[in-house]
Amino acid sequence: MNTRVGTIGTASPLVADAHPMIDPFGRAVTYLRVSVTDRCDFRCTYCMAENMTFLPKKDLLTLEELDRLCSAFIARGVSKIRLTGGEPLVRKNIMYLVRQLGQKIGSGLDELTLTTNGSQLSRHAEELYDCGVRRINVSVDTLDPDKFRKITRWGDFAKVMEGIDAAQKAGLKIKLNAVALKDFNDAEMPELLRFAHGRGMDLTVIETMPMGEIEEDRTDQYLPLSKLRADLEEQFTLADIDYQTGGPARYVRVEETGGRLGFITPMTHNFCESCNRVRLTCTGTLYMCLGQNDAADLRAALRATEDDALLHAAIDEAITRKPKGHDFIIDRKHNRPAVARHMSVTGG
Ligand code: SAM
Ligand code: SF4
């Protein structure tokens, strides 16, 4: 292990010889997803229970601490950071962190992006662009306002559409994310696709993952994307393309619309062989895999001393534990999720 790692971050000199993070399977970790809060102003039925117990605010890292952690990862080869949650834009003063991280674009960081439900986008869109954000993901599972309310429990469809308008006006490129839900939005997919492509947005569909206790039966919600793709192919010509965004989606071009459609298939197709990601929570816990329970506590190392040497040692140790792949299996007999924590803890 490299013990000559110096301190980094705004208040400290840059790491002179920080080595990249290579896991035991030879994969370089270059992508950090940061869940800046586990809280959210929606309660999507596949993501959360209606009455969630959130982390006490005192357990949260400050935005300055999150910035310091992100800087440590950038020094170790992370070139892409995605802010997520919970809903990242409901974290108080979140734009402070966005601005701090935005300043690192071009100095190690290539891209800063976020995944949002869009509810707060209209008031933040311009500032996001100003901070250096160029692309964002917005989650929209249906275009029907009543169904939208049903699936998000608390969401206002019109507000999200306003957010999308504002973001496009500000110059942000948008990718829509839709979780594919059996008997909920499967029949609506062609419409969602035409809407997204008509507005110059890519669309990515995601298989539901069994994470955290929810009220619904996950096996009732699950729709394999192979089925969705076959259905879409009755109306559209889908051509496989090599397009990559650094995430796990596999893309096709839709000949009729000229737009791109991505498939994220953790359940039917394991995408782990090319995994370049780790996930940091708002309490400083690092998950080396979305679909496993193992994690490393970086908060203790972060707070132990202002010198980042301990932190880098903790990161090194964590990376040696990055597993080969996830293990999502729904415990059908007991309807128990494969991973106990909700998606909002690690941000998807
Ligand atoms: N609140 C933001 C949003 O909804 O975009 C960011 C966090 S959310 C957890 C990130 C993504 O995970 C969203 O696109 C959401 O639809 C997806 N998601 C949440 N729970 C999921 C689950 N159990 N399986 C698959 N995707 C899920
Ligand atoms: Fe909130 Fe996003 Fe989860 Fe929906 S998917 S409840 S918007 S964190």
Side-chain angles (χ1 to χ4, degrees), residues 41-205:
D41 52 349
F42 290 6
R43 290 288 182 280
C44 301
T45 57
Y46 50 80
C47 178
M48 292 191 185
E50 185 150 24
N51 292 311
M52 290 286 288
T53 308
F54 293 111
L55 292 162
K57 289 216 168 106
K58 65 171 177 45
D59 288 359
L60 261 56
L61 294 185
T62 64
L63 294 174
E64 287 80 3
E65 286 175 320
L66 280 173
D67 180 30
R68 190 176 146 207
L69 268 175
C70 289
S71 299
F73 277 97
I74 295 169
R76 300 296 303 279
V78 160
S79 57
K80 176 168 174 174
I81 293 182
R82 176 177 299 280
L83 303 182
T84 173
E87 173 48 40
L89 295 179
V90 302
R91 170 108 194 222
K92 202 167 160 211
N93 279 337
I94 186 62
M95 295 313 292
Y96 165 82
L97 181 64
V98 175
R99 195 160 288 280
Q100 290 299 113
L101 296 177
Q103 285 167 6
K104 302 175 209 311
I105 298 171
S107 321
L109 189 63
D110 292 338
E111 187 174 33
L112 173 64
T113 179
L114 85 161
T115 301
T116 174
N117 65 22
S119 68
Q120 314 292 317
L121 203 46
S122 56
R123 63 190 177 98
H124 290 302
E126 280 186 15
E127 197 176 352
L128 284 169
Y129 189 91
D130 189 51
C131 292
V133 175
R134 292 294 176 267
R135 297 191 306 157
I136 59 172
N137 290 354
V138 183
S139 304
V140 177
D141 301 321
T142 172
L143 295 174
D144 176 327
D146 293 331
K147 279 170 74 182
F148 189 82
R149 168 67 67 165
K150 200 165 160 233
I151 199 74
T152 61
R153 291 196 183 104
W154 299 357
D156 177 353
F157 181 72
K159 195 93 198 62
V160 173
M161 286 300 123
E162 258 172 52
I164 289 178
D165 291 346
Q168 288 197 313
K169 194 158 162 253
L172 294 167
K173 268 201 91 58
I174 299 180
K175 177 164 78 71
L176 286 193
N177 277 349
V179 174
L181 298 160
K182 190 161 72 180
D183 300 331
F184 177 77
N185 61 4
D186 34 1
E188 213 194 313
M189 279 301 163
E191 193 190 341
L192 204 52
L193 185 73
R194 284 195 192 91
F195 167 75
H197 291 180
R199 297 265 315 240
M201 303 183 281
D202 289 347
L203 172 69
T204 296
V205 283

